[in-house]
Amino acid sequence: MQLQTLMLYLCVGTSELFLEKINDADKSFEQAYVAAQKMTELNYSFGALYNDAMAMHNIADSYLNLQLYDQAELWLTRADKFFEKMYDHPDTPDEYKTIVKAYIDYDHALLAFGQNKPDVAERYFKEVIESDYSKSAQIRHRIVSYLVKTKRYAEAADLYQALNDIIAKYKIEPSVDMIGFVRDKFISNYKAGRKDSALAAAMFALDYVDSALVRQKHSEATKFATIYETQQKDEEIARQQINLNRQRFLALAVALVLITAFFIIYTLFRRRAAKRMAEMKAAQERIESELRIARNIQMSMVPSTFPEREGLDMYASMTPAREVGGDLYGYLLDEDKLYFPLGDVSGKGVPASLFMAQTTRLFMTLAKQGMMLAEICTRMNDALSGEDNESGMFVTFFLGLVDLTTCHLDFCNAGQNPPVIGGGENHGDFLEMLPNAPIGLWPGLEYEGEEIDSIKGRPLFIYTDGLNEAENTAQEQFGDDRLLAILRNTHFDNARQVIESLQTEVEQHRNGAEPNDDLTMMCIRVN
């Protein structure tokens, strides 16, 4: 919830700053800062600290673009503090430390240059270009901008060498909007004293500009031909009727003026729309980058390795339908006792992933205290429901506890699909369970646990509804009957083989249709 509040105030403040409403922007950014502090108070993870540090960097960057150096200095100080906490967090990967440091060092260099502190600016800029992140496309355009701003044209010209490759790679058609980019390449080489490179850049610019103008003229000629044809027809009608109705002639003149005004307004609107589209595309790329990072953070919260212990075969997998999802699984091995949860949060996307993270943290905290399963579910429900759950989210949850020496199974199901247990006359059946409610819906519920004396040699398969409700292009679901039939006829080699077989079956059933829900599966067998 706090992350959404932070992003909301960040977007509002950036828009107000763009409209030069400085005082309003200052207030919105302060609200974003309050949300950032609350987010880390509620969830002191490296992901939260990363989001806070990057938010402070973006605010400082906005002030720097308007040369408001006093405000930029304040927000850079706040970005430094969040970065220091993120850097010291034991779970922070080195990759994220490098990314955040490069952006903040660049802002420091730009601030020092604006404050006429060249030595300080150069020290920070050197940190940027010597970092591992300096070769990435995200930071390289900032480096070029800084080099041009500080009149280091030779270095800027070196980075502009990639212009032709960029145009070819993205199949950019010659356009008037791109002429400024071509011009900057010529100026960088000319100012750097590279006459041959400047000449080559100029020839390229002439060809590029010529092609751009030809395309522009062709477009304009088509428009004016249409206008001209319309005018000719209108003038012919006017000549035929001028003696009969002078007022109609005046109406025609007014119509021509309106048509001309329309085309002028249309041209201006198209240019503004193109600018907005470019800004939206840049914002979309930034959001997609941050969602990829959020996905990596989320996937790091579920185990990718499983206990290697004699008599235990365990494997699980999770495939989000979007960049981030709301499914979860995990395990806690305490001597001979193995806790294993699997759940599905209501909804999708970022809100579901945040609720998933909170659910996972609660389970691990309570399981480490050695509680029984019904008590764990009861306490989790009390923590996740009530007034604090303003969005009304909930999680269907299956929690198991197996004694690896006796093969005794305790379990508590909170609204999750019934698992399939192997063995028996049918070689596999859905497990009959009590109908406990999902966790997070109503406070004060008392959950009931169940048990099986022994599941020795009987595989237990647990899953979310992203499996049985997977749809193909005709919106036909995978179904419980198909699931049960496949498990009954699949020879058990190991837990991983069972899950990978079902993944293949689901993909074949979808037949190219996009996933409609997160898919999580777990298989366990003890001997």
mmCIF file with all atom_site columns, all heavy atoms in Angstrom, residues 218-236:
data_model
loop_
_atom_site.group_PDB
_atom_site.id
_atom_site.type_symbol
_atom_site.label_atom_id
_atom_site.label_alt_id
_atom_site.label_comp_id
_atom_site.label_asym_id
_atom_site.label_entity_id
_atom_site.label_seq_id
_atom_site.pdbx_PDB_ins_code
_atom_site.Cartn_x
_atom_site.Cartn_y
_atom_site.Cartn_z
_atom_site.occupancy
_atom_site.B_iso_or_equiv
_atom_site.pdbx_formal_charge
_atom_site.auth_seq_id
_atom_site.auth_comp_id
_atom_site.auth_asym_id
_atom_site.auth_atom_id
_atom_site.pdbx_PDB_model_num
ATOM 1   N N   . HIS A 1 218 ? 6.506   15.161 -48.970 1.00 0.00 ? 218 HIS A N   1
ATOM 2   C CA  . HIS A 1 218 ? 5.549   14.233 -49.583 1.00 0.00 ? 218 HIS A CA  1
ATOM 3   C C   . HIS A 1 218 ? 4.262   14.184 -48.776 1.00 0.00 ? 218 HIS A C   1
ATOM 4   O O   . HIS A 1 218 ? 3.154   14.208 -49.326 1.00 0.00 ? 218 HIS A O   1
ATOM 5   C CB  . HIS A 1 218 ? 6.171   12.837 -49.666 1.00 0.00 ? 218 HIS A CB  1
ATOM 6   C CG  . HIS A 1 218 ? 5.275   11.843 -50.353 1.00 0.00 ? 218 HIS A CG  1
ATOM 7   N ND1 . HIS A 1 218 ? 4.370   11.081 -49.649 1.00 0.00 ? 218 HIS A ND1 1
ATOM 8   C CD2 . HIS A 1 218 ? 5.136   11.506 -51.663 1.00 0.00 ? 218 HIS A CD2 1
ATOM 9   C CE1 . HIS A 1 218 ? 3.716   10.298 -50.494 1.00 0.00 ? 218 HIS A CE1 1
ATOM 10  N NE2 . HIS A 1 218 ? 4.161   10.539 -51.712 1.00 0.00 ? 218 HIS A NE2 1
ATOM 11  N N   . SER A 1 219 ? 4.428   14.154 -47.453 1.00 0.00 ? 219 SER A N   1
ATOM 12  C CA  . SER A 1 219 ? 3.254   14.131 -46.584 1.00 0.00 ? 219 SER A CA  1
ATOM 13  C C   . SER A 1 219 ? 2.446   15.420 -46.723 1.00 0.00 ? 219 SER A C   1
ATOM 14  O O   . SER A 1 219 ? 1.222   15.405 -46.839 1.00 0.00 ? 219 SER A O   1
ATOM 15  C CB  . SER A 1 219 ? 3.700   13.936 -45.135 1.00 0.00 ? 219 SER A CB  1
ATOM 16  O OG  . SER A 1 219 ? 2.598   14.002 -44.277 1.00 0.00 ? 219 SER A OG  1
ATOM 17  N N   . GLU A 1 220 ? 3.189   16.566 -46.728 1.00 0.00 ? 220 GLU A N   1
ATOM 18  C CA  . GLU A 1 220 ? 2.497   17.846 -46.840 1.00 0.00 ? 220 GLU A CA  1
ATOM 19  C C   . GLU A 1 220 ? 1.852   18.013 -48.214 1.00 0.00 ? 220 GLU A C   1
ATOM 20  O O   . GLU A 1 220 ? 0.759   18.563 -48.340 1.00 0.00 ? 220 GLU A O   1
ATOM 21  C CB  . GLU A 1 220 ? 3.490   18.996 -46.593 1.00 0.00 ? 220 GLU A CB  1
ATOM 22  C CG  . GLU A 1 220 ? 4.043   19.046 -45.176 1.00 0.00 ? 220 GLU A CG  1
ATOM 23  C CD  . GLU A 1 220 ? 2.938   19.250 -44.155 1.00 0.00 ? 220 GLU A CD  1
ATOM 24  O OE1 . GLU A 1 220 ? 1.960   19.957 -44.483 1.00 0.00 ? 220 GLU A OE1 1
ATOM 25  O OE2 . GLU A 1 220 ? 3.038   18.696 -43.056 1.00 0.00 ? 220 GLU A OE2 1
ATOM 26  N N   . ALA A 1 221 ? 2.548   17.531 -49.276 1.00 0.00 ? 221 ALA A N   1
ATOM 27  C CA  . ALA A 1 221 ? 1.998   17.659 -50.630 1.00 0.00 ? 221 ALA A CA  1
ATOM 28  C C   . ALA A 1 221 ? 0.676   16.913 -50.752 1.00 0.00 ? 221 ALA A C   1
ATOM 29  O O   . ALA A 1 221 ? -0.276  17.379 -51.382 1.00 0.00 ? 221 ALA A O   1
ATOM 30  C CB  . ALA A 1 221 ? 2.995   17.135 -51.666 1.00 0.00 ? 221 ALA A CB  1
ATOM 31  N N   . THR A 1 222 ? 0.629   15.749 -50.132 1.00 0.00 ? 222 THR A N   1
ATOM 32  C CA  . THR A 1 222 ? -0.609  14.972 -50.171 1.00 0.00 ? 222 THR A CA  1
ATOM 33  C C   . THR A 1 222 ? -1.743  15.737 -49.496 1.00 0.00 ? 222 THR A C   1
ATOM 34  O O   . THR A 1 222 ? -2.868  15.784 -49.991 1.00 0.00 ? 222 THR A O   1
ATOM 35  C CB  . THR A 1 222 ? -0.392  13.625 -49.456 1.00 0.00 ? 222 THR A CB  1
ATOM 36  O OG1 . THR A 1 222 ? 0.684   12.939 -50.107 1.00 0.00 ? 222 THR A OG1 1
ATOM 37  C CG2 . THR A 1 222 ? -1.643  12.779 -49.506 1.00 0.00 ? 222 THR A CG2 1
ATOM 38  N N   . LYS A 1 223 ? -1.407  16.357 -48.362 1.00 0.00 ? 223 LYS A N   1
ATOM 39  C CA  . LYS A 1 223 ? -2.434  17.119 -47.646 1.00 0.00 ? 223 LYS A CA  1
ATOM 40  C C   . LYS A 1 223 ? -2.923  18.292 -48.502 1.00 0.00 ? 223 LYS A C   1
ATOM 41  O O   . LYS A 1 223 ? -4.130  18.526 -48.656 1.00 0.00 ? 223 LYS A O   1
ATOM 42  C CB  . LYS A 1 223 ? -1.871  17.641 -46.326 1.00 0.00 ? 223 LYS A CB  1
ATOM 43  C CG  . LYS A 1 223 ? -1.504  16.574 -45.330 1.00 0.00 ? 223 LYS A CG  1
ATOM 44  C CD  . LYS A 1 223 ? -0.904  17.233 -44.105 1.00 0.00 ? 223 LYS A CD  1
ATOM 45  C CE  . LYS A 1 223 ? -0.333  16.192 -43.174 1.00 0.00 ? 223 LYS A CE  1
ATOM 46  N NZ  . LYS A 1 223 ? 0.376   16.812 -42.043 1.00 0.00 ? 223 LYS A NZ  1
ATOM 47  N N   . PHE A 1 224 ? -1.948  19.075 -49.044 1.00 0.00 ? 224 PHE A N   1
ATOM 48  C CA  . PHE A 1 224 ? -2.335  20.267 -49.783 1.00 0.00 ? 224 PHE A CA  1
ATOM 49  C C   . PHE A 1 224 ? -3.053  19.928 -51.099 1.00 0.00 ? 224 PHE A C   1
ATOM 50  O O   . PHE A 1 224 ? -3.894  20.687 -51.564 1.00 0.00 ? 224 PHE A O   1
ATOM 51  C CB  . PHE A 1 224 ? -1.110  21.140 -50.069 1.00 0.00 ? 224 PHE A CB  1
ATOM 52  C CG  . PHE A 1 224 ? -0.622  21.862 -48.846 1.00 0.00 ? 224 PHE A CG  1
ATOM 53  C CD1 . PHE A 1 224 ? 0.676   21.704 -48.394 1.00 0.00 ? 224 PHE A CD1 1
ATOM 54  C CD2 . PHE A 1 224 ? -1.474  22.695 -48.131 1.00 0.00 ? 224 PHE A CD2 1
ATOM 55  C CE1 . PHE A 1 224 ? 1.111   22.373 -47.267 1.00 0.00 ? 224 PHE A CE1 1
ATOM 56  C CE2 . PHE A 1 224 ? -1.040  23.363 -47.003 1.00 0.00 ? 224 PHE A CE2 1
ATOM 57  C CZ  . PHE A 1 224 ? 0.265   23.204 -46.559 1.00 0.00 ? 224 PHE A CZ  1
ATOM 58  N N   . ALA A 1 225 ? -2.708  18.787 -51.707 1.00 0.00 ? 225 ALA A N   1
ATOM 59  C CA  . ALA A 1 225 ? -3.425  18.372 -52.914 1.00 0.00 ? 225 ALA A CA  1
ATOM 60  C C   . ALA A 1 225 ? -4.894  18.128 -52.600 1.00 0.00 ? 225 ALA A C   1
ATOM 61  O O   . ALA A 1 225 ? -5.789  18.492 -53.360 1.00 0.00 ? 225 ALA A O   1
ATOM 62  C CB  . ALA A 1 225 ? -2.790  17.110 -53.496 1.00 0.00 ? 225 ALA A CB  1
ATOM 63  N N   . THR A 1 226 ? -5.106  17.512 -51.439 1.00 0.00 ? 226 THR A N   1
ATOM 64  C CA  . THR A 1 226 ? -6.488  17.272 -51.010 1.00 0.00 ? 226 THR A CA  1
ATOM 65  C C   . THR A 1 226 ? -7.224  18.590 -50.764 1.00 0.00 ? 226 THR A C   1
ATOM 66  O O   . THR A 1 226 ? -8.373  18.784 -51.168 1.00 0.00 ? 226 THR A O   1
ATOM 67  C CB  . THR A 1 226 ? -6.496  16.424 -49.723 1.00 0.00 ? 226 THR A CB  1
ATOM 68  O OG1 . THR A 1 226 ? -5.784  15.212 -49.980 1.00 0.00 ? 226 THR A OG1 1
ATOM 69  C CG2 . THR A 1 226 ? -7.920  16.108 -49.289 1.00 0.00 ? 226 THR A CG2 1
ATOM 70  N N   . ILE A 1 227 ? -6.504  19.504 -50.087 1.00 0.00 ? 227 ILE A N   1
ATOM 71  C CA  . ILE A 1 227 ? -7.111  20.815 -49.812 1.00 0.00 ? 227 ILE A CA  1
ATOM 72  C C   . ILE A 1 227 ? -7.421  21.547 -51.126 1.00 0.00 ? 227 ILE A C   1
ATOM 73  O O   . ILE A 1 227 ? -8.489  22.133 -51.310 1.00 0.00 ? 227 ILE A O   1
ATOM 74  C CB  . ILE A 1 227 ? -6.166  21.656 -48.936 1.00 0.00 ? 227 ILE A CB  1
ATOM 75  C CG1 . ILE A 1 227 ? -5.982  20.990 -47.572 1.00 0.00 ? 227 ILE A CG1 1
ATOM 76  C CG2 . ILE A 1 227 ? -6.714  23.064 -48.754 1.00 0.00 ? 227 ILE A CG2 1
ATOM 77  C CD1 . ILE A 1 227 ? -4.911  21.655 -46.732 1.00 0.00 ? 227 ILE A CD1 1
ATOM 78  N N   . TYR A 1 228 ? -6.423  21.489 -52.048 1.00 0.00 ? 228 TYR A N   1
ATOM 79  C CA  . TYR A 1 228 ? -6.586  22.195 -53.313 1.00 0.00 ? 228 TYR A CA  1
ATOM 80  C C   . TYR A 1 228 ? -7.780  21.659 -54.086 1.00 0.00 ? 228 TYR A C   1
ATOM 81  O O   . TYR A 1 228 ? -8.590  22.409 -54.636 1.00 0.00 ? 228 TYR A O   1
ATOM 82  C CB  . TYR A 1 228 ? -5.311  22.060 -54.155 1.00 0.00 ? 228 TYR A CB  1
ATOM 83  C CG  . TYR A 1 228 ? -5.402  22.748 -55.502 1.00 0.00 ? 228 TYR A CG  1
ATOM 84  C CD1 . TYR A 1 228 ? -5.303  24.136 -55.622 1.00 0.00 ? 228 TYR A CD1 1
ATOM 85  C CD2 . TYR A 1 228 ? -5.611  21.988 -56.657 1.00 0.00 ? 228 TYR A CD2 1
ATOM 86  C CE1 . TYR A 1 228 ? -5.398  24.751 -56.851 1.00 0.00 ? 228 TYR A CE1 1
ATOM 87  C CE2 . TYR A 1 228 ? -5.710  22.594 -57.892 1.00 0.00 ? 228 TYR A CE2 1
ATOM 88  C CZ  . TYR A 1 228 ? -5.598  23.984 -57.989 1.00 0.00 ? 228 TYR A CZ  1
ATOM 89  O OH  . TYR A 1 228 ? -5.694  24.590 -59.200 1.00 0.00 ? 228 TYR A OH  1
ATOM 90  N N   . GLU A 1 229 ? -7.898  20.337 -54.129 1.00 0.00 ? 229 GLU A N   1
ATOM 91  C CA  . GLU A 1 229 ? -9.016  19.743 -54.857 1.00 0.00 ? 229 GLU A CA  1
ATOM 92  C C   . GLU A 1 229 ? -10.346 20.179 -54.230 1.00 0.00 ? 229 GLU A C   1
ATOM 93  O O   . GLU A 1 229 ? -11.306 20.497 -54.931 1.00 0.00 ? 229 GLU A O   1
ATOM 94  C CB  . GLU A 1 229 ? -8.895  18.213 -54.825 1.00 0.00 ? 229 GLU A CB  1
ATOM 95  C CG  . GLU A 1 229 ? -9.992  17.507 -55.608 1.00 0.00 ? 229 GLU A CG  1
ATOM 96  C CD  . GLU A 1 229 ? -9.847  16.006 -55.544 1.00 0.00 ? 229 GLU A CD  1
ATOM 97  O OE1 . GLU A 1 229 ? -8.816  15.541 -55.027 1.00 0.00 ? 229 GLU A OE1 1
ATOM 98  O OE2 . GLU A 1 229 ? -10.749 15.315 -56.023 1.00 0.00 ? 229 GLU A OE2 1
ATOM 99  N N   . THR A 1 230 ? -10.367 20.203 -52.924 1.00 0.00 ? 230 THR A N   1
ATOM 100 C CA  . THR A 1 230 ? -11.581 20.635 -52.230 1.00 0.00 ? 230 THR A CA  1
ATOM 101 C C   . THR A 1 230 ? -11.902 22.098 -52.547 1.00 0.00 ? 230 THR A C   1
ATOM 102 O O   . THR A 1 230 ? -13.051 22.485 -52.787 1.00 0.00 ? 230 THR A O   1
ATOM 103 C CB  . THR A 1 230 ? -11.405 20.452 -50.714 1.00 0.00 ? 230 THR A CB  1
ATOM 104 O OG1 . THR A 1 230 ? -11.093 19.085 -50.465 1.00 0.00 ? 230 THR A OG1 1
ATOM 105 C CG2 . THR A 1 230 ? -12.677 20.827 -49.965 1.00 0.00 ? 230 THR A CG2 1
ATOM 106 N N   . GLN A 1 231 ? -10.822 22.931 -52.541 1.00 0.00 ? 231 GLN A N   1
ATOM 107 C CA  . GLN A 1 231 ? -11.023 24.342 -52.840 1.00 0.00 ? 231 GLN A CA  1
ATOM 108 C C   . GLN A 1 231 ? -11.578 24.558 -54.253 1.00 0.00 ? 231 GLN A C   1
ATOM 109 O O   . GLN A 1 231 ? -12.466 25.389 -54.484 1.00 0.00 ? 231 GLN A O   1
ATOM 110 C CB  . GLN A 1 231 ? -9.695  25.100 -52.690 1.00 0.00 ? 231 GLN A CB  1
ATOM 111 C CG  . GLN A 1 231 ? -9.246  25.240 -51.232 1.00 0.00 ? 231 GLN A CG  1
ATOM 112 C CD  . GLN A 1 231 ? -7.879  25.874 -51.137 1.00 0.00 ? 231 GLN A CD  1
ATOM 113 O OE1 . GLN A 1 231 ? -7.067  25.705 -52.037 1.00 0.00 ? 231 GLN A OE1 1
ATOM 114 N NE2 . GLN A 1 231 ? -7.634  26.594 -50.057 1.00 0.00 ? 231 GLN A NE2 1
ATOM 115 N N   . GLN A 1 232 ? -11.016 23.801 -55.222 1.00 0.00 ? 232 GLN A N   1
ATOM 116 C CA  . GLN A 1 232 ? -11.468 23.939 -56.601 1.00 0.00 ? 232 GLN A CA  1
ATOM 117 C C   . GLN A 1 232 ? -12.962 23.652 -56.721 1.00 0.00 ? 232 GLN A C   1
ATOM 118 O O   . GLN A 1 232 ? -13.694 24.373 -57.399 1.00 0.00 ? 232 GLN A O   1
ATOM 119 C CB  . GLN A 1 232 ? -10.680 22.995 -57.507 1.00 0.00 ? 232 GLN A CB  1
ATOM 120 C CG  . GLN A 1 232 ? -9.208  23.409 -57.695 1.00 0.00 ? 232 GLN A CG  1
ATOM 121 C CD  . GLN A 1 232 ? -9.093  24.664 -58.547 1.00 0.00 ? 232 GLN A CD  1
ATOM 122 O OE1 . GLN A 1 232 ? -9.148  25.779 -58.029 1.00 0.00 ? 232 GLN A OE1 1
ATOM 123 N NE2 . GLN A 1 232 ? -8.976  24.518 -59.851 1.00 0.00 ? 232 GLN A NE2 1
ATOM 124 N N   . LYS A 1 233 ? -13.373 22.574 -56.069 1.00 0.00 ? 233 LYS A N   1
ATOM 125 C CA  . LYS A 1 233 ? -14.793 22.215 -56.142 1.00 0.00 ? 233 LYS A CA  1
ATOM 126 C C   . LYS A 1 233 ? -15.652 23.289 -55.475 1.00 0.00 ? 233 LYS A C   1
ATOM 127 O O   . LYS A 1 233 ? -16.709 23.672 -55.986 1.00 0.00 ? 233 LYS A O   1
ATOM 128 C CB  . LYS A 1 233 ? -15.019 20.861 -55.470 1.00 0.00 ? 233 LYS A CB  1
ATOM 129 C CG  . LYS A 1 233 ? -14.401 19.700 -56.238 1.00 0.00 ? 233 LYS A CG  1
ATOM 130 C CD  . LYS A 1 233 ? -14.656 18.386 -55.519 1.00 0.00 ? 233 LYS A CD  1
ATOM 131 C CE  . LYS A 1 233 ? -14.050 17.231 -56.295 1.00 0.00 ? 233 LYS A CE  1
ATOM 132 N NZ  . LYS A 1 233 ? -14.243 15.948 -55.602 1.00 0.00 ? 233 LYS A NZ  1
ATOM 133 N N   . ASP A 1 234 ? -15.143 23.753 -54.305 1.00 0.00 ? 234 ASP A N   1
ATOM 134 C CA  . ASP A 1 234 ? -15.921 24.764 -53.589 1.00 0.00 ? 234 ASP A CA  1
ATOM 135 C C   . ASP A 1 234 ? -16.008 26.064 -54.385 1.00 0.00 ? 234 ASP A C   1
ATOM 136 O O   . ASP A 1 234 ? -17.041 26.750 -54.387 1.00 0.00 ? 234 ASP A O   1
ATOM 137 C CB  . ASP A 1 234 ? -15.297 25.022 -52.215 1.00 0.00 ? 234 ASP A CB  1
ATOM 138 C CG  . ASP A 1 234 ? -15.477 23.847 -51.276 1.00 0.00 ? 234 ASP A CG  1
ATOM 139 O OD1 . ASP A 1 234 ? -16.383 23.037 -51.546 1.00 0.00 ? 234 ASP A OD1 1
ATOM 140 O OD2 . ASP A 1 234 ? -14.712 23.743 -50.295 1.00 0.00 ? 234 ASP A OD2 1
ATOM 141 N N   . GLU A 1 235 ? -14.886 26.450 -55.059 1.00 0.00 ? 235 GLU A N   1
ATOM 142 C CA  . GLU A 1 235 ? -14.905 27.680 -55.840 1.00 0.00 ? 235 GLU A CA  1
ATOM 143 C C   . GLU A 1 235 ? -15.857 27.578 -57.047 1.00 0.00 ? 235 GLU A C   1
ATOM 144 O O   . GLU A 1 235 ? -16.537 28.539 -57.404 1.00 0.00 ? 235 GLU A O   1
ATOM 145 C CB  . GLU A 1 235 ? -13.499 28.001 -56.312 1.00 0.00 ? 235 GLU A CB  1
ATOM 146 C CG  . GLU A 1 235 ? -12.584 28.464 -55.175 1.00 0.00 ? 235 GLU A CG  1
ATOM 147 C CD  . GLU A 1 235 ? -11.160 28.617 -55.617 1.00 0.00 ? 235 GLU A CD  1
ATOM 148 O OE1 . GLU A 1 235 ? -10.883 28.398 -56.826 1.00 0.00 ? 235 GLU A OE1 1
ATOM 149 O OE2 . GLU A 1 235 ? -10.306 28.950 -54.763 1.00 0.00 ? 235 GLU A OE2 1
ATOM 150 N N   . GLU A 1 236 ? -15.896 26.390 -57.664 1.00 0.00 ? 236 GLU A N   1
ATOM 151 C CA  . GLU A 1 236 ? -16.805 26.188 -58.797 1.00 0.00 ? 236 GLU A CA  1
ATOM 152 C C   . GLU A 1 236 ? -18.252 26.340 -58.343 1.00 0.00 ? 236 GLU A C   1
ATOM 153 O O   . GLU A 1 236 ? -19.071 26.985 -59.013 1.00 0.00 ? 236 GLU A O   1
ATOM 154 C CB  . GLU A 1 236 ? -16.587 24.805 -59.404 1.00 0.00 ? 236 GLU A CB  1
ATOM 155 C CG  . GLU A 1 236 ? -17.491 24.490 -60.590 1.00 0.00 ? 236 GLU A CG  1
ATOM 156 C CD  . GLU A 1 236 ? -17.195 25.407 -61.774 1.00 0.00 ? 236 GLU A CD  1
ATOM 157 O OE1 . GLU A 1 236 ? -16.057 25.924 -61.879 1.00 0.00 ? 236 GLU A OE1 1
ATOM 158 O OE2 . GLU A 1 236 ? -18.103 25.609 -62.594 1.00 0.00 ? 236 GLU A OE2 1
#
